Amino acid sequence: MAEKNILAYFKSPDQAQHAARKLQSLRVADMSIDRFGAYPGGELNQPMNPLTGNIASLSTLTLNADISGPGAGILGAADPSASGMSSGGQDGTEGRDILLTVVLDEGVFTQAMRIIEESGGMV
C-alpha cells in the first residue's frame, strides 16, 4: 500500500510524545520528534557576564542564537522575540517548536490525524 506523511507541530515535547505513543498502535513506518528554531544554537553551554562579555547580538542573550557575523546579529536583534516586545503571534503557531514527523500507511491516515489533533498538535 501507499504511504503518507504528516508534519505536526506541538507546544511541548510531552504533547508530541503522548501522540507518538498513541500512533505506535497504527502501521507507522517511521516517526521522529525534533525541536527547531529560527536561529542556530541550543542550550546555553557557556555562561557569560553580559556586562563584560563579547556579545554578538541581543539575540545571543535572549534566544541563545549562535551568531556568525555583524549582519546576522542585526537581523537577529530585530526579531520581536529577541526583545520580548512581540505582538503575540495571531496566527496560532506561536510556541509550536516541536515537530512530530510521521510516515504511515495510507489506510490509517485519517485516524492518525485525529490522534494528533486530540493530543494538541497542529497539522
Side-chain angles (χ1 to χ4, degrees), residues 73-105:
I74 292 168
L75 287 173
D79 190 324
S81 59
S83 67
M85 302 298 281
S86 175
S87 62
Q90 292 83 0
D91 63 353
T93 60
E94 185 76 18
R96 293 185 186 270
D97 62 344
I98 307 297
L99 176 65
L100 170 67
T101 306
V102 184
V103 179
L104 44 76
D105 186 67

Side-chain angles (χ1 to χ4, degrees), residues 17-120:
Q17 288 289 344
H18 180 262
R21 283 192 296 275
K22 287 185 172 184
L23 290 170
Q24 288 294 346
S25 64
L26 305 177
R27 293 169 284 212
V28 173
D30 194 18
M31 184 167 29
S32 69
I33 298 174
D34 299 298
R35 182 180 295 268
F36 66 93
Y39 305 104
E43 299 294 322
L44 186 57
N45 296 326
Q46 298 175 349
M48 71 173 134
N49 182 346
L51 297 176
T52 61
N54 183 14
I55 301 167
S57 171
L58 173 66
S59 60
T60 303
L61 291 174
T62 58
L63 302 173
N64 195 35
D66 188 16
I67 301 299
S68 60
I74 292 168
L75 287 173
D79 190 324
S81 59
S83 67
M85 302 298 281
S86 175
S87 62
Q90 292 83 0
D91 63 353
T93 60
E94 185 76 18
R96 293 185 186 270
D97 62 344
I98 307 297
L99 176 65
L100 170 67
T101 306
V102 184
V103 179
L104 44 76
D105 186 67
E106 189 175 35
V108 294
F109 179 76
T110 56
Q111 186 179 359
M113 291 288 286
R114 188 171 45 254
I115 289 171
I116 288 169
E117 289 171 357
E118 288 172 356
S119 299

